Amino acid sequence: MAESIGWSAATVYETGTDDVTRDGGTDVTAEPVRLRGGVATGVGSWPGTDPREAAATIVGELGELPHLVELPGRGAGADLIGRASALLVDLRFDTTSRGYRLAPRPGSVSRRAHDLLRTDLDALEEAWENAGLSGRGRTVKVQSAGPLTLAAQVELPGGHRVLTDPGAVRDLSESLAEGLAQHVAEVRKRLGAQVVVQLDEPSLTAVLDGSLRGVSVLNTVRALPEPEALAVLDAVITAQSAPVLVHSCAEPPALGALRRSAAAGIGFDLSIIGTGQLDEVGEALEAGKQLVLGVVPTEAPATTVTWRTFAEPGVRLIDRLGFGRRTLAERVAVSPACGLAGVPLEWSRRALRLAADVARAYTEEPEDLSFS
C-alpha cells in the first residue's frame, strides 16, 4: 500500500475512525497517487447481471488494483456508452435503433443509467467494507468511455454523429470532464480509497483515420486531425484529480497519438501489436508512460495453459525493445486483452487469476524468467 502512493510504510497508520492518515493527520485520499507496474487489473466489463457478486469477485481477485465493474448484460444504460450518460453533467442520452442519441431532457434511459451506477457503487462499497479495505487508502480503478469514442458513437438529435459538430464535441467533452471528476470524488470519499481513471477509447483509431460511416454514403465523417483529437482527449484527462490511463481495444491501437497525450498510462491488447508498432511501444515507455498489457485472452484457449503462457509475450517485448527486465515490475501492469462481458464466468475468473499470476512473476522474478 505504501509503495503505491510513494511513502514509507512507517508513515501510514490507522486512526480510531478508520481513516488512514499521515503524521500530520492528513487524509491519505487527498494525497497524489501514481500508476504502478507489477499489478493486475481488469479492463472493465464482466459477465452476468449481479453487481454484488461481480464486485466481490473483482475485489477478491484483484487485490492490488480492483475496478468498478460494468455489467452490460443488464441492457441499455449498463454498457460502455450508456453508462457515460450517468456521468455527464447537463447532458443525457436516449436510445435509437442504432444506439444512443443526445436527448433534450432526462428520460428512462438516463434515469436507468444513474440507477445502475448507484447500484454498482453500493455493491463495490459493500465488497470493499467486507474485505476490510475501507479507509485504508488502497487504490481502485473507475472506467468511462472517452470523449472521442462518445463523440463517435453517440448521435445528435438529427441522426449525425456528435463528431461531425465541433461545438457538440466540445460540450460533450466538457460535460464528461466535469461529471467524471465528481464521480472520482464520490468514489474516493465512499471507499476511503485512492482512484485511478481509465478512459476507454476503442473508436480512437477510426476517429483519426476517418473510417467511421455517416448516416448515408453521401454523409461521410471526416478524419479528425490528431492535434484536434488530442485537444479533446487531454481536456478530459487534465480535468481529473486522479491519474488517467487510456485503454484501446482497437486494432491497431493509436499508440503514437496516445504517447503524445496527457495520459499517464496506455492499455492495449498485446497480441495485436505487430512489428510495425514495436517502436511506438518503446517510444511510449521512453516518454514516461506506464503500460497496461492485455496479455490474457478474452476467450479460453483450446489447449491447457498456465501463467507462463501469457507472461512470455510481455517479457519478449521488453527484451526486444532493449529495456531492462525491472521495467516489467516498475512500468508494466497486466490485464485481460479487453472486457470479459461476452465470455463464460468460469473463464473470466480464471483470466483474472492468470493476470495476477503474471503480474506477480513480473514483480518477483523478472530477471529469472525464461521460456523454452
Side-chain angles (χ1 to χ4, degrees):
M1 177 181 68
E3 179 186 352
S4 69
I5 49 182
W7 305 335
S8 70
T11 64
V12 182
Y13 60 95
E14 293 182 58
T15 69
T17 59
D18 203 30
D19 289 331
V20 182
T21 60
R22 298 182 66 183
D23 294 343
T26 304
D27 186 351
V28 166
T29 58
E31 295 293 324
V33 63
R34 61 181 175 83
L35 293 178
R36 290 178 54 198
V39 299
T41 191
V43 172
S45 67
W46 190 253
T49 59
D50 187 338
R52 294 177 68 185
E53 180 183 18
T57 299
I58 295 300
V59 171
E61 299 290 350
L62 298 173
E64 293 295 324
L65 189 56
H67 61 285
L68 179 61
V69 185
E70 300 161 2
L71 298 172
R74 294 176 297 183
D79 59 294
L80 176 66
I81 304 300
R83 164 151 285 183
S85 183
L87 300 175
L88 299 177
V89 175
D90 296 329
L91 289 177
R92 70 282 304 171
F93 298 160
D94 200 353
T95 55
T96 72
S97 58
R98 292 184 296 272
Y100 291 96
R101 178 178 296 181
L102 287 176
R105 61 186 63 84
S108 60
V109 172
S110 60
R111 286 193 293 270
R112 186 167 192 271
H114 278 91
D115 290 344
L116 291 173
L117 180 57
R118 296 296 102 198
T119 299
D120 293 346
L121 283 172
D122 290 344
L124 178 59
E125 185 174 9
E126 178 182 321
W128 206 253
E129 291 175 353
N130 290 341
L133 302 178
S134 296
R136 294 183 176 274
R138 297 289 289 272
T139 305
V140 67
K141 180 166 67 69
V142 299
Q143 304 84 223
S144 170
L148 295 167
T149 290
L150 286 179
Q153 300 301 325
V154 177
E155 297 178 355
L156 295 164
H160 295 276
R161 298 179 192 266
V162 170
L163 192 65
T164 62
D165 184 332
V169 172
R170 181 182 61 253
D171 291 345
L172 184 60
S173 62
E174 290 176 353
S175 176
L176 177 64
E178 183 179 352
L180 189 55
Q182 294 175 3
H183 179 54
V184 167
E186 179 182 2
V187 172
R188 189 180 283 140
K189 181 178 180 180
R190 288 179 64 156
L191 303 185
Q194 300 280 11
V195 179
V196 169
V197 175
Q198 175 181 304
L199 292 177
D200 289 304
E201 287 286 10
S203 297
L204 176 57
T205 299
V207 167
L208 294 174
D209 66 20
S211 60
L212 292 167
R213 297 172 60 181
V215 294
S216 73
V217 294
L218 299 178
N219 297 109
T220 59
V221 180
R222 74 179 180 99
L224 194 64
E226 185 180 299
E228 293 182 30
L230 288 181
V232 172
L233 181 60
D234 286 349
V236 175
I237 292 173
T238 57
Q240 306 310 310
S241 61
V244 178
L245 72 92
V246 180
H247 182 272
S248 177
C249 288
E251 186 174 350
L255 297 181
L258 292 177
R259 173 179 63 82
R260 291 181 281 274
S261 75
I266 304 171
F268 52 87
D269 177 357
L270 181 55
S271 70
I272 64 176
I273 300 300
T275 55
Q277 285 197 291
L278 290 179
D279 286 344
E280 292 180 322
V281 176
E283 289 166 359
L285 284 170
E286 290 175 347
K289 306 295 188 188
Q290 298 288 114
L291 299 184
V292 181
L293 299 183
V295 298
V296 182
T298 55
E299 295 187 4
T303 58
T304 302
V305 293
T306 68
W307 65 265
R308 297 182 65 85
T309 306
F310 305 121
E312 181 175 0
V315 174
R316 295 199 183 282
L317 171 70
I318 293 301
D319 287 349
R320 184 169 181 177
L321 293 175
F323 290 90
R325 290 275 185 93
R326 289 304 304 170
T327 302
L328 292 165
E330 297 168 356
R331 304 282 301 283
V332 175
V334 175
S335 75
C338 205
L340 295 167
V343 299
L345 184 60
E346 180 181 0
W347 172 250
S348 296
R349 288 172 171 159
R350 187 166 182 226
L352 295 188
R353 296 187 191 114
L354 287 166
D357 288 343
V358 172
R360 190 175 302 113
Y362 284 177
T363 301
E364 295 177 353
E365 49 181 302
E367 300 294 344
D368 298 329
L369 291 173
S370 61
F371 306 93
S372 58

